Amino acid sequence: IDCRSLEYESVQMGEGAADDESEKPVFVICNSNVKHSIGGGEYPIRVKQCAEATKSLQGICGEKIVSLRDATIAEVETARK
């Protein structure tokens, strides 16, 4: 799922897997009921770091970089130098 454009792509999983159940993919979903707060801890630090990195990449690559996902590996490597 692309959370910006809301596009999605179906992906085949387990295609060609043997009849043995151990070869087929399994998804486990659970709820730990643990309460989380994104206001404290590392989250706001990461948000700030990502915003700074995006701004830095925009200075090098231009306004085509809207968020970090828009940068190629080559652009990131160039920005590191």
Side-chain angles (χ1 to χ4, degrees):
I1 298 174
D2 184 318
C3 292
R4 181 189 296 172
S5 68
L6 301 180
E7 294 177 7
Y8 63 92
E9 177 182 343
S10 297
V11 177
Q12 294 291 326
M13 297 182 64
E15 194 171 289
D19 289 332
D20 180 11
E21 290 295 319
S22 66
E23 295 293 323
K24 295 180 181 176
V26 174
F27 287 95
V28 177
I29 301 171
C30 62
N31 181 356
S32 66
N33 285 321
V34 174
K35 301 291 183 207
H36 297 279
S37 169
I38 63 170
E42 297 292 317
Y43 183 77
I45 295 168
R46 295 291 172 263
V47 169
K48 183 178 178 187
Q49 290 171 332
C50 289
E52 290 170 355
T54 300
K55 189 171 185 174
S56 177
L57 282 164
Q58 286 172 338
I60 295 168
C61 305
E63 294 299 317
K64 71 175 188 163
I65 306 295
V66 176
S67 68
L68 291 179
R69 69 180 250 165
D70 299 314
T72 65
I73 297 296
E75 291 166 336
V76 172
E77 291 298 326
T78 299
R80 278 185 163 176
K81 298 176 184 176

